[in-house]
Amino acid sequence: MNTFKLFLAGASALALSTSVNATDLEVTHWWTSGGEAAAVAEFAKAFDATGNKWVDGAIAGGGGTARPVMISRITGGDPMAATQFNHGRQAEELVEAGLMLDLTELAEKEGWKDIVNPPSLLDSCTLDGKIYCVPVNIHSPQWLWLSHAAFEKAGVPVPGNWDEYVAAAPKLREAGIQPLALGQQPWQSNLLFGAVQIGVGGLDLWKQINLEKDVAAASGPEMAKVFQAMADARNMADGSNVQDWNQATNMVITGTAGGQIMGDWAQGEFQVANQVAGEDYTCLPGLGVNEYLSTGGDAFYFPKLKDPEKAAAQLELASMMISKEAQVAFNLKKGSLPIRGDINLSAANDCMKKGLEILATGNLLPSGDQVFSADTQTQFNDLMVEFMNDKSITPEDAQERYAAIVEAAD
C-alpha cells in the first residue's frame, strides 16, 4: 500500500512515469471482436505506459463462456489480477465470499462518486457501503442498426422506427436480403427481447416488470403486444445462421442483412470497417420509438492477491481505467459512452452523440444485470432462444412462461 500512496502522490491518474515497483498483471475479459480488440488495446497501452505490463487474458465466446472460466479460477485459487464483469450482480457472490479487493480508499481519494455518471453504475460496484469495482463504460442494448446499402437494393427507404422496419421486411426478402441478422448465442435473443420490450412496450411497462416484479403486468395485454412483436422479429430473423454477434453485425456492414438489434458496442465494428454513421448505416436508439437507454456496461473487479507489489499495481490499473485520458481513448474505439461527463468527446460520431444526448436528458434505465440475478437472467436467456428457434411456441405460451419466471425472480 505504501508503494501505491507514493504513486498517487507523484503521478496523475494516467501516470506516464515508471512505477516504483513495475509488475505484470493478467487481465481477463471477453473482448475479442475487431472493434473490441481495438478498444482494449487502448487500456493496455495506457497501463504499459505506467511501467507495468498488461498481460492480456482474452477469452473468446462472449460473457456467457468467459464468466464461468473467470469465476472458476477465482474460487479455485488461481485468480487473475483483474477481470471484466458487467455492471450488476454477476460478481456479488465473489464479493460476499471476500475474494475481491476493496477499492473504497482509492475511490474516495479520487472522488469517484463525484465523477461517475449515472451514479447507479458506482452503486452497482458497491456492497455494504464498500466499492469493489471500477466502471469503465456505459453500454446500452436498445439499438437498431440498419444498412443503407441493403435498403437501397430493396428499393425502400431506410426505416425510421420499428414498425417501418417490420413493414419493409418482405421487400428485403424479395431482394435476397436477410431482414434481421441474429446470432445464435442465447444472450443475443434475450438482448433482442429487452430492446423490443422497451421499444414496443414502453417505459411504464418496463418498470412494472423489471423493477416492481409485477406478475400481472407480465401476464397482461401490453406485454402480449411485446410478444407479438417478438414473433415478427422471429420471422425476420429466420435464415440468419451466424453464431457470434459480430458476425451478425458484419452482415449489416456488407449489406447482406437489413438490420440488427444489438448494443452500442456494434459501433466498434462499423468503425473498423470504415463505415460512417448517417451515411453507410443508421442507428436508432430505443428502436426509434422510445428513446430510453439501459445504463449497463462493463466494470473491472480485482481479485485479492498475496503479492503486495501486484496489489499496488492493481490499484494503479483501476486508477488508469477511470482517468479522463483512458476514458476518451477506450470509449471512442469501443462505441460505448464514458462513465464520466467531464471529458472532451468532440470526436464522437453521430451514433455516440445520440447516446450522449439521451444520457444528458436522463432517459435512463438500469440494465437487466442490475435488477435480476444471474440465475433469473439465465432463465430469460433460455426461454428467448427457445422461442426464437422454435416456431411451434406461440407468443401466448412464451408470455405465460415469462410471467412465471418473473414471479419466481430473485
Side-chain angles (χ1 to χ4, degrees), residues 218-221 223-231 234 383-384 387 390-404:
S219 306
M223 197 63 208
K225 296 177 183 177
V226 173
F227 276 92
Q228 289 297 328
M230 282 295 291
R234 180 169 63 183
L383 171 60
M384 295 309 159
F387 175 76
D390 186 353
K391 290 187 177 182
S392 70
I393 302 174
T394 67
E396 293 78 13
D397 291 340
Q399 184 180 2
E400 183 178 352
R401 291 171 59 182
Y402 174 76

Side-chain angles (χ1 to χ4, degrees), residues 301-349:
Y301 289 77
F302 301 82
K304 288 182 178 177
L305 303 176
K306 295 179 181 179
D307 186 333
E309 291 185 7
K310 287 185 179 293
Q314 285 177 303
L315 295 174
E316 293 186 47
L317 177 56
S319 180
M320 178 278 292
M321 286 178 162
I322 205 170
S323 69
K324 288 183 178 181
E325 296 89 341
Q327 278 291 300
V328 170
F330 172 78
N331 284 294
L332 285 177
K333 292 287 180 66
K334 191 69 166 64
S336 48
L337 302 180
I339 54 85
R340 51 190 303 165
D342 59 347
I343 56 180
N344 182 1
L345 283 173
S346 57
N349 68 16

Side-chain angles (χ1 to χ4, degrees), residues 10-53:
S12 66
L14 187 64
L16 298 180
S17 60
T18 301
S19 302
V20 176
N21 290 307
T23 188
D24 294 354
L25 291 185
E26 181 192 8
V27 185
T28 55
H29 58 86
W30 55 81
W31 291 326
T32 57
S33 75
E36 291 172 328
V40 76
E42 294 295 334
F43 272 162
K45 181 170 63 177
F47 186 60
D48 289 353
T50 69
N52 294 296
K53 178 64 178 177

Side-chain angles (χ1 to χ4, degrees), residues 95-113:
V95 172
E96 291 174 339
L99 297 174
M100 292 299 188
L101 189 65
D102 181 357
L103 303 177
T104 307
E105 182 178 347
L106 173 64
E108 291 178 347
K109 187 174 186 67
E110 297 189 344
W112 290 7
K113 288 185 178 180

Side-chain angles (χ1 to χ4, degrees), residues 348-407:
N349 68 16
D350 288 350
C351 292
M352 181 178 281
K353 287 176 181 177
K354 287 182 181 180
L356 290 169
E357 288 170 3
I358 295 172
L359 184 63
T361 64
N363 292 344
L364 307 173
L365 301 168
S367 71
D369 293 313
Q370 292 171 295
V371 295
F372 287 112
S373 69
D375 178 65
T376 299
Q377 285 285 70
T378 298
Q379 293 178 59
F380 287 144
N381 285 349
D382 292 344
L383 171 60
M384 295 309 159
V385 75
E386 186 178 352
F387 175 76
M388 292 300 292
N389 285 286
D390 186 353
K391 290 187 177 182
S392 70
I393 302 174
T394 67
E396 293 78 13
D397 291 340
Q399 184 180 2
E400 183 178 352
R401 291 171 59 182
Y402 174 76
I405 297 173
V406 172
E407 185 173 22

Side-chain angles (χ1 to χ4, degrees), residues 36-120:
E36 291 172 328
V40 76
E42 294 295 334
F43 272 162
K45 181 170 63 177
F47 186 60
D48 289 353
T50 69
N52 294 296
K53 178 64 178 177
W54 175 291
V55 179
D56 201 69
I59 301 173
T65 299
R67 279 190 295 272
V69 176
M70 296 164 173
I71 292 170
S72 177
R73 284 190 54 185
I74 296 168
T75 57
D78 180 31
M80 63 295 292
T83 189
Q84 172 193 9
F85 284 105
N86 296 122
H87 298 309
R89 301 174 60 183
Q90 291 175 354
E92 189 173 75
E93 292 182 359
L94 297 173
V95 172
E96 291 174 339
L99 297 174
M100 292 299 188
L101 189 65
D102 181 357
L103 303 177
T104 307
E105 182 178 347
L106 173 64
E108 291 178 347
K109 187 174 186 67
E110 297 189 344
W112 290 7
K113 288 185 178 180
D114 297 324
I115 61 177
V116 174
N117 179 52
S120 61

Side-chain angles (χ1 to χ4, degrees), residues 44-288:
K45 181 170 63 177
F47 186 60
D48 289 353
T50 69
N52 294 296
K53 178 64 178 177
W54 175 291
V55 179
D56 201 69
I59 301 173
T65 299
R67 279 190 295 272
V69 176
M70 296 164 173
I71 292 170
S72 177
R73 284 190 54 185
I74 296 168
T75 57
D78 180 31
M80 63 295 292
T83 189
Q84 172 193 9
F85 284 105
N86 296 122
H87 298 309
R89 301 174 60 183
Q90 291 175 354
E92 189 173 75
E93 292 182 359
L94 297 173
V95 172
E96 291 174 339
L99 297 174
M100 292 299 188
L101 189 65
D102 181 357
L103 303 177
T104 307
E105 182 178 347
L106 173 64
E108 291 178 347
K109 187 174 186 67
E110 297 189 344
W112 290 7
K113 288 185 178 180
D114 297 324
I115 61 177
V116 174
N117 179 52
S120 61
L121 299 180
L122 197 58
D123 291 342
S124 293
C125 290
T126 305
L127 189 67
D128 297 330
K130 295 182 178 180
I131 296 170
Y132 291 94
C133 67
V134 52
V136 297
N137 61 13
I138 302 169
H139 263 320
S140 50
Q142 298 95 349
W143 292 80
L144 174 57
W145 306 89
L146 299 168
S147 166
H148 287 197
F151 286 95
E152 182 178 355
K153 181 180 179 181
V156 292
V158 176
N161 57 50
W162 170 254
D163 289 339
E164 292 177 4
Y165 181 36
V166 174
K171 289 291 186 181
L172 291 168
R173 287 277 188 206
E174 290 174 12
I177 297 168
Q178 174 69 39
L180 176 63
L182 178 68
Q184 296 303 304
Q185 295 159 319
W187 67 268
Q188 295 184 57
S189 295
N190 195 36
L191 180 149
L192 183 150
F193 171 76
V196 171
Q197 185 182 40
I198 187 63
V200 174
L203 178 62
D204 290 342
L205 179 66
W206 190 96
K207 286 183 175 180
Q208 284 179 296
I209 296 173
N210 291 270
L211 299 183
E212 300 169 18
K213 311 299 190 289
D214 188 328
V215 179
S219 306
E222 293 305 310
M223 197 63 208
K225 296 177 183 177
V226 173
F227 276 92
Q228 289 297 328
M230 282 295 291
D232 290 334
R234 180 169 63 183
N235 291 332
M236 293 167 67
D238 188 22
S240 179
N241 297 317
V242 296
Q243 179 71 14
D244 297 333
W245 70 267
N246 52 303
Q247 293 174 318
T249 306
N250 189 60
M251 293 176 68
V252 181
I253 291 171
T254 58
T256 58
Q260 178 191 26
I261 293 175
M262 185 48 59
D264 52 8
W265 51 88
Q267 283 199 86
E269 303 305 300
F270 286 101
Q271 289 184 62
V272 168
N274 296 317
Q275 293 216 329
V276 178
E279 295 181 12
D280 300 307
Y281 66 97
T282 286
C283 53
L284 299 176
L287 309 189

